[in-house]
Amino acid sequence: MNPRIPLSAPDITEAEIEAVTQVLRTNSLSLGPKLDEFESAFAGYHQMPQAIAVSSGTAALHLAIRALNLGPGDEIILPSFTFIAVANAVCFERATPVFADIDPIDLNMHPASVEAAITPRTRALIIVHTFGVPANMDALMALARRHNLAVIEDACEAIGATYNNQLVGTFGDIATFAFYPNKQITTGEGGMILCRDNQLAQRMRALRNQGRYPGNHWLQHQELGYNYRLSEIACALGIVQLTRLESILAQRATVAARYNSLLANIPDIECPPLQLPHRTISWFVYVVQLAETLPADTRDHVLRLLQNAGIGCGRYFAPIHQQPAYQHHPSTQTAHLPITESIAARTLALPFYNSLSSTDAAEVTQALMQAIDELNQ
Ligand SMILES: Cc1ncc(COP(=O)(O)O)c(C=O)c1O
């Protein structure tokens, strides 16, 4: 059953519908002018020389790892408190994911935990800007430089966020973005890669298109590649969404601030910080934490009560090392992630989207208070 107040909702206007319809009236549905236009607009927004549109954020991560020639024997440090695709992309290339613990404030990889995880086999960091909050880039980039590590920035949840007034996705060697419908901007399914290095970019363009390099004809494949292309329809949607990004981010910041004030005096609930030094947040989801003092299963009870009341909510994130798919992975056996485990057991994502009304936000808050009260009785 669909919740009355969903967890997330895309924001599609007549302009997007018009743009998509126009593409459908042409003969060019893939590898056409909208692809170039979307990539140019995305690169331009970030002031980066190269943007490569792909079929998903997962595809973007996979191509990044492959283009950096990371593989068997190479260790890549990443958070466990994130979406599973981040570790999966590492495993696709048979490299080893090494999980770092998180900072309890920004929920991103803690530089001290990253440093402790570095070994002579470490080749790269995947810095995820979780929930749209930029990671501590000064400390993490300094570590990467000191140990000569490649940096993949996973900005799938953080388009438009800044650290020291610099957009996320412009710090590392390669950055990835995602446009699933729960994201700040959507193409239905889709992703984007940013990078500065022209050779890396050319390789990723070939890899997304079955290993075809410029000058190759349709049945000429220079290396093992994939079909990770993004359709013209999706690109047309993305172009319009990108023009609306600033207003979308402003709307989301307003919704987050409204929640924070509604939830301010509720005991046992910790709201996310609205501001952090040197950073602007691109609100992806709105996630509260329940107090550590509550019984261990409280979050899951609250989740069920809210869902029964027609309110969409979720556990963001279920740590990767606790997923059945990673149960027997050697990286799980060595993972020591007390902060990740403590926080992940207490997080609750509430309905969050551009048009969430103040009435609905008040209803969610009321239902949350009631659920906690009920459990305390
Ligand atoms: C941090 C992060 N990386 C990667 C992805 C994967 O993106 P996609 O679902 O488009 O494959 C997501 C998607 O939610 C994500 O949140």
Side-chain angles (χ1 to χ4, degrees), residues 56-59 61 82-83 85-86 128 154 156-157 178-180 182-183 189-190 284 317:
S56 69
T58 309
L61 282 166
T82 186
F83 189 59
V86 184
V128 184
D154 183 334
C156 287
E157 300 175 9
F179 309 127
Y180 188 72
N182 66 344
K183 297 294 189 301
E189 296 282 359
F284 165 48
F317 274 109

Side-chain angles (χ1 to χ4, degrees), residues 61-92:
L61 282 166
H62 185 195
L63 293 192
I65 287 160
R66 180 135 183 156
L68 290 169
N69 295 319
L70 300 168
D74 297 333
E75 293 180 358
I76 303 177
I77 300 175
L78 70 167
S80 172
F81 187 73
T82 186
F83 189 59
I84 196 158
V86 184
N88 286 357
V90 171
C91 295
F92 294 164

